[in-house]
């Protein structure tokens, strides 16, 4: 799961519930879906992850924007449908020790880091197997870069079956 309730222990976060906490976070979703609390998403007006436009917590990274734009917060009136990027960050916790598969699905460029190690840096849809220890938190980052055309991205993970 993604556990933002842990962020109080991490450097750089402030406040009682910290700046990205979801105090309704549940730390054990079924089948390892990235859904508990969500990932902090930073949305950029460019492909270089430089011009930050807004931030929000996305409960799931499972988007198909087509030729449109991401849903905008009330205080944001415009956002491009092409040439933008999103950077998600948070924590993943395995329910059991063993090999897990992380799945990335998209039509543009996606990059994945787990505990600061790059696992995927490519385009299209792909997966990677990683060994995770039960109840340990792993820092996760996912960048998505939209150039032109329809935009979609999905991130899921599941333990390998024995």
């Amino acid at each position: 799961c993604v556990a933002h309730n842990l962020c109080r222990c991490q450097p750089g976060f402030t406040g009682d519930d910290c700046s990205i906490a979801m105090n309704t976070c549940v730390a054990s979703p079924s089948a390892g879906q990235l859904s508990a609390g969500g990932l902090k998403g930073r949305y950029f007006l460019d492909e270089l992850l430089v011009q930050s436009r807004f931030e929000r917590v996305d409960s799931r990274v499972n988007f198909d924007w087509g030729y449109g734009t991401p849903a905008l917060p009330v205080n944001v009136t415009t956002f491009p449908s092409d040439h933008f990027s999103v950077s998600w960050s948070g924590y993943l916790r395995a329910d059991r020790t063993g090999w897990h598969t992380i799945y990335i699905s998209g039509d543009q460029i996606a990059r994945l880091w787990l505990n600061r190690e790059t696992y995927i840096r490519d385009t299209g849809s792909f997966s990677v197997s990683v060994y995770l220890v039960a109840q340990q938190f792993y820092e996760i980052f996912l960048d998505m870069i939209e150039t032109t055309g329809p935009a979609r991205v999905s991130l899921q993970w599941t333990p390998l079956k024995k």
Side-chain angles (χ1 to χ4, degrees), residues 74-129:
V74 175
N75 62 335
V76 176
T77 57
T78 61
F79 197 81
S81 59
D82 287 323
H83 306 291
F84 70 88
S85 54
V86 185
S87 182
W88 288 279
S89 61
Y91 295 89
L92 178 140
R93 185 182 78 177
D95 292 331
R96 62 183 178 194
T97 298
W99 288 97
H100 294 70
T101 303
I102 298 175
Y103 302 94
I104 306 283
S105 178
D107 61 346
Q108 302 289 326
I109 299 168
R111 297 179 291 224
L112 174 72
W113 292 265
L114 191 60
N115 274 1
R116 307 275 179 184
E117 184 174 338
T118 304
Y119 280 94
I120 297 174
R121 187 181 201 116
D122 211 338
T123 59
S125 299
F126 25 144
S127 64
V128 63
S129 293

Side-chain angles (χ1 to χ4, degrees), residues 19-113:
S19 62
I20 61 169
M22 296 286 287
N23 53 13
T24 58
C25 179
V26 177
S28 58
S30 62
Q33 293 289 322
L34 297 173
S35 62
L39 293 176
K40 176 184 175 186
R42 292 184 66 199
Y43 290 72
F44 297 86
L45 295 170
D46 59 74
E47 297 174 23
L48 303 174
L49 299 160
V50 174
Q51 300 176 43
S52 180
R53 180 69 170 119
F54 65 92
E55 294 180 7
R56 68 180 182 204
V57 174
D58 291 319
S59 62
R60 296 178 190 271
V61 177
N62 187 18
F63 298 104
D64 187 347
W65 295 301
Y67 290 95
T69 66
L72 302 177
V74 175
N75 62 335
V76 176
T77 57
T78 61
F79 197 81
S81 59
D82 287 323
H83 306 291
F84 70 88
S85 54
V86 185
S87 182
W88 288 279
S89 61
Y91 295 89
L92 178 140
R93 185 182 78 177
D95 292 331
R96 62 183 178 194
T97 298
W99 288 97
H100 294 70
T101 303
I102 298 175
Y103 302 94
I104 306 283
S105 178
D107 61 346
Q108 302 289 326
I109 299 168
R111 297 179 291 224
L112 174 72
W113 292 265

